[in-house]
């Protein structure tokens, strides 16, 4: 049977692409299971019972919902655990192949430590204080004269310390709510959404934002030995979620 010449030319053009796609798909071992780690950082990732250890369906949050849908679309298997403290699971992800960690702020210092998929969410870094505090800030430097509470190992705390700030650090971010109420700190350096969510859990709503000093994107960070094919298929799934509106729909549930 004779092949149409135009048809033949199309095959010549498409064949390298089809071949590459086939190879990429074949290189993802169907037995590959990604171990996903996260922490209590509401409303992005959190245990349903507010405990510091949870697995699978007992983990909730905006980033969690996005990650679940992303893995479902990509057809990649995973196991999900929430643990404490952050510093431990951060190091574990660096050490273990096929481990992933979210929600992780992508910073210059961390760039070469992981492979990245995202962004999952945007996180505004703010100073929160009580409504009755007469604190006004025009810039970051003006905050230096105040006692500032932070979360040990958190990107926000690290950023401030790297810029010469002395912080009162807590092992859990929600401990800063009580410190603020009791007058042990003047300002709480935290994420705008996460800080207000934690404060509400502690029954505190009389907070105000006196300065937004940075806006960052949070990602899913992977151990560097994770295959590029896995990274690519997950990133493609997330990009598709953004295009078809699913990402925005999930985000709206937490606003």
């Amino acid at each position: 049977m004779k092949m149409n010449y135009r048809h033949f030319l199309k095959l010549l053009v498409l064949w390298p692409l089809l071949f590459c796609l086939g190879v990429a798909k074949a290189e993802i071992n169907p037995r590959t299971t990604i171990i996903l780690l996260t922490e209590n950082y509401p409303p992005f990732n959190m245990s349903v019972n507010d405990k510091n250890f949870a697995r699978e369906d007992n983990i909730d949050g905006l980033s969690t919902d996005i990650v679940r849908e992303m893995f479902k679309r990509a057809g990649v298997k995973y196991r999900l655990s929430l643990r404490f403290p952050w510093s431990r699971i951060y190091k574990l992800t660096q050490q273990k192949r096929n481990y992933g960690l979210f929600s992780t702020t992508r910073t210059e210092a961390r760039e070469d430590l992981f492979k990245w998929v995202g962004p999952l969410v945007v996180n505004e870094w703010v100073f929160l204080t009580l409504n009755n505090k007469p604190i006004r800030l025009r810039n970051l430097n003006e905050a230096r004269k105040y006692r500032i509470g932070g979360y040990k190992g958190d990107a926000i705390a690290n950023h401030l310390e790297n810029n010469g700030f002395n912080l009162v650090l807590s092992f859990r971010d929600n401990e800063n709510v009580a410190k603020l109420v009791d007058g042990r700190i003047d300002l709480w350096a935290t994420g705008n959404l996460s800080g207000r969510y934690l404060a509400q859990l502690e029954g505190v709503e009389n907070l105000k934002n006196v300065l937004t000093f940075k806006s960052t994107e949070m990602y899913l960070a992977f151990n560097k030995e994770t295959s590029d094919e896995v990274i690519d298929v997950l990133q493609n799934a997330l990009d598709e979620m953004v295009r078809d509106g699913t990402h925005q729909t999930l985000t709206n549930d937490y606003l």
Side-chain angles (χ1 to χ4, degrees):
M1 183 177 71
K2 292 184 178 180
M3 180 181 293
N4 182 282
Y5 181 68
R6 187 175 297 176
H7 207 182
F8 176 73
L9 289 178
K10 287 182 179 180
L11 284 176
L12 284 178
V13 173
L14 291 174
W15 175 252
L17 177 61
L18 293 172
F19 177 77
C20 291
L21 289 173
V23 170
K25 186 175 182 180
E27 287 184 358
I28 300 178
N29 190 323
R31 291 177 294 181
T32 297
T33 299
I34 302 297
I35 307 301
L36 293 177
L37 301 177
T38 191
E39 62 161 349
N40 269 320
Y41 191 58
F44 303 112
N45 18 274
M46 52 196 174
S47 61
V48 297
N49 54 12
D50 296 324
K51 292 185 178 180
N52 280 322
F53 182 81
R55 292 186 184 276
E56 308 304 344
D57 292 342
N58 290 318
I59 303 171
D60 202 357
L62 171 55
S63 294
T64 308
D65 290 350
I66 292 171
V67 167
R68 282 196 174 108
E69 177 64 19
M70 182 171 62
F71 271 78
K72 178 182 176 182
R73 293 190 183 201
V76 178
K77 293 184 292 186
Y78 68 94
R79 295 202 301 269
L80 176 59
S81 295
L82 181 147
R83 302 183 189 179
F84 177 82
W86 171 260
S87 57
R88 178 173 177 268
I89 60 176
Y90 182 88
K91 290 179 181 178
L92 196 61
T93 304
Q94 289 180 271
Q95 297 165 355
K96 298 284 189 178
R97 184 180 184 183
N98 288 336
Y99 270 55
L101 178 68
F102 72 93
S103 303
T104 311
T105 303
R106 188 172 183 173
T107 65
E108 184 177 348
R110 293 173 172 176
E111 183 66 31
D112 294 332
L113 300 178
F114 302 97
K115 291 183 178 180
W116 302 90
V117 172
L120 303 177
V121 292
V122 174
N123 190 25
E124 290 184 334
W125 295 1
V126 301
F127 287 126
L128 297 180
T129 192
L130 299 175
N131 284 336
N132 60 2
K133 293 284 186 180
I135 299 176
R136 299 287 185 271
L137 298 178
R138 291 171 296 181
N139 54 60
L140 186 61
N141 195 54
E142 290 184 353
R144 293 183 184 277
K145 62 184 178 182
Y146 296 102
R147 295 167 300 168
I148 302 172
Y151 171 30
K152 185 176 177 63
D154 179 48
I156 301 174
N158 290 343
H159 174 79
L160 291 173
E161 288 180 320
N162 291 337
N163 281 276
F165 282 79
N166 293 316
L167 302 183
V168 180
L169 295 175
S170 299
F171 285 100
R172 297 180 62 186
D173 207 18
N174 63 338
E175 294 173 8
N176 288 300
V177 180
K179 289 182 179 180
L180 203 57
V181 173
D182 296 341
R184 287 177 283 164
I185 58 175
D186 304 305
L187 298 170
W188 176 17
T190 186
N192 193 34
L193 278 178
S194 59
R196 293 181 185 279
Y197 186 92
L198 288 172
Q200 287 179 358
L201 291 180
E202 302 295 328
V204 176
E205 296 186 359
N206 58 329
L207 298 180
K208 63 181 178 181
N209 172 15
V210 292
L211 182 69
T212 299
F213 57 92
K214 194 174 179 64
S215 182
T216 63
E217 295 174 327
M218 295 199 292
Y219 283 68
L220 179 49
F222 284 91
N223 178 274
K224 292 196 73 173
E225 293 187 26
T226 306
S227 75
D228 289 338
E229 288 73 28
V230 169
I231 301 299
D232 290 344
V233 74
L234 288 170
Q235 185 65 60
N236 289 338
L238 179 60
D239 292 344
E240 181 185 71
M241 290 168 59
V242 172
R243 287 194 300 270
D244 67 22
T246 302
H247 185 279
Q248 188 61 53
T249 298
L250 293 173
T251 301
N252 290 342
D253 290 340
Y254 291 86
L255 295 179

